[in-house]
Amino acid sequence: TACSSKYVLSQMHPMWQGPLAVPGGDRQSPIDIVVRKSVFDSQLKPLVTDYDPDTCQQIWNNGYSFLVEYDDTTDKSTLKGGPLRDKFRLCQFHFHWGESNAWGSEHTLDRRLFPAELHLVHWNSDKYSLFEEAVMEDNGLAVIGVFLKVGKRHEGLQKLVDALPAIRHKDSVVEFNRFNPACLLPANTDDYWTYHGSLTTPPLTESVSWIVMKQHIEVSHDQLAVFRSLLFTSAEEEVQKSMVNNFRVQQPLRGRTVRSSFT
Ligand SMILES: NS(=O)(=O)c1ccc(C(=O)NCc2cccc(O)c2)cc1
Ligand SMILES: [Zn+2]
């Protein structure tokens, strides 16, 4: 789908962490969420996700992460509610992780790092007709962030983990059907933080309503190890590099308020 083909055009080198000049740059992501400084907002509603597993199309390695892409030509897999006024269409989900369990997430909670973070990427289909349009607009995108912790095996994730060896190299793609990403959401999706931010990879566009779940999900050490068996490099390259540490460092808050849906 459009939302992901462009991803490969704008993906960056994983070691890139530099202060790439960004126009304005006062609402960059990720951030450290200082829990006691977040402001409860009683107007925030529960999230409403309605994902159709039949819209799942393929899984591929874009040289930065691995993406599971959804058919976003109709409103079949949607997100609404939460801090959002409009309906948003799921286009892909992907993860960020470390080379060790000690770090890997993009957002942090009171500076606490998690071994990995899931991002479910949606665009505003009430206002725009293409991901490419929405990504350039204020709040054109809504991304749900879910922290991963190492613990018991995640049965729903295993189907995805089993597909990874087939996409070890950059630009490899395999068909992937009937996966409902709702299985990757925590039991409690009512408690979250939300703030206005950006994409965490170039072009770092400041168009994202971030929704970071308070409750994490658990995956096993072995499942995370399979993430780390992926490669940044394509099959042709002589030197193979393990796909690890594909996260951006936390960015300045610049006076933004992080709201919470819970007290
Ligand atoms: N890590 S993240 O969730 O912030 C994230 C989500 C989506 C994308 C993405 O789709 N990039 C491709 C892109 C960006 C801007 C304009 C385009 O046409 C395509 C990048 C980062
Ligand atoms: Zn991401």
Side-chain angles (χ1 to χ4, degrees), residues 7 64-65 67 92-96 106-107 117-121 143-144 198-201 210 246-247:
Y7 198 105
Y64 180 67
S65 182
L67 306 189
Q92 53 105 330
F93 71 82
H94 63 273
F95 297 81
H96 303 263
E106 297 211 302
H107 291 90
E117 185 173 333
L118 159 66
H119 289 159
L120 294 140
V121 184
V143 182
I144 298 175
S198 73
L199 300 180
T200 66
T201 63
W210 276 96
N246 55 358
F247 55 83

Side-chain angles (χ1 to χ4, degrees), residues 190-257:
D190 291 351
D191 293 355
Y192 57 84
W193 292 277
T194 184
Y195 76 98
H196 296 290
S198 73
L199 300 180
T200 66
T201 63
L204 303 170
T205 331
E206 298 181 334
S207 56
V208 182
S209 289
W210 276 96
I211 300 164
V212 179
M213 306 314 297
K214 177 185 174 198
Q215 195 174 52
H216 61 268
I217 59 169
E218 273 192 24
V219 302
S220 71
H221 177 89
D222 290 354
Q223 289 177 316
L224 262 190
V226 181
F227 283 23
R228 301 186 185 110
S229 73
L230 292 172
L231 300 168
F232 283 128
T233 43
S234 58
E236 297 73 42
E237 294 176 64
E238 309 74 57
V239 181
Q240 300 293 339
K241 294 192 204 87
S242 294
M243 183 180 276
V244 292
N245 302 329
N246 55 358
F247 55 83
R248 190 190 191 195
V249 293
Q250 290 79 38
Q251 302 297 308
L253 194 55
R254 291 271 189 279
R256 285 174 283 178
T257 298

Side-chain angles (χ1 to χ4, degrees), residues 7-165:
Y7 198 105
V8 71
L9 295 179
S10 66
Q11 51 113 17
M12 64 193 187
H13 191 277
M15 306 312 167
W16 173 87
Q17 305 276 5
L20 191 85
V22 181
D26 56 359
R27 50 173 283 195
Q28 287 291 292
S29 292
I31 59 168
D32 174 48
I33 295 170
V34 182
V35 174
R36 71 188 179 292
K37 286 190 180 166
S38 62
V39 178
F40 170 63
D41 179 349
S42 59
Q43 307 281 309
L44 289 173
K45 299 179 182 59
L47 288 186
V48 180
T49 56
D50 179 8
Y51 296 144
D52 176 351
D54 287 338
T55 56
C56 185
Q57 290 183 320
Q58 54 195 16
I59 184 171
W60 69 297
N61 177 332
N62 71 351
Y64 180 67
S65 182
F66 64 92
L67 306 189
V68 178
E69 302 174 316
Y70 286 75
D71 166 18
D72 62 351
T73 54
T74 68
D75 266 344
K76 274 203 188 143
S77 287
T78 59
L79 164 67
K80 56 187 202 298
L84 309 170
R85 282 192 195 77
D86 296 322
K87 182 185 287 188
F88 286 68
R89 213 175 267 180
L90 174 70
C91 64
Q92 53 105 330
F93 71 82
H94 63 273
F95 297 81
H96 303 263
W97 61 91
E99 66 194 288
S100 92
N101 293 338
W103 64 82
S105 62
E106 297 211 302
H107 291 90
T108 50
L109 290 184
D110 293 335
R111 291 283 165 212
R112 175 183 177 194
L113 289 154
F114 292 81
E117 185 173 333
L118 159 66
H119 289 159
L120 294 140
V121 184
H122 313 74
W123 53 275
N124 187 329
S125 56
D126 278 348
K127 285 213 177 93
Y128 311 106
S129 49
L130 282 175
F131 169 86
E132 277 83 346
E133 289 167 31
V135 71
M136 308 310 287
E137 305 296 332
D138 255 17
N139 304 329
L141 301 188
V143 182
I144 298 175
V146 182
F147 293 117
L148 274 64
K149 268 185 75 177
V150 176
K152 63 183 187 312
R153 179 182 143 108
H154 193 295
E155 291 313 324
L157 185 74
Q158 195 53 38
K159 182 178 175 208
L160 202 153
V161 167
D162 289 339
L164 298 184

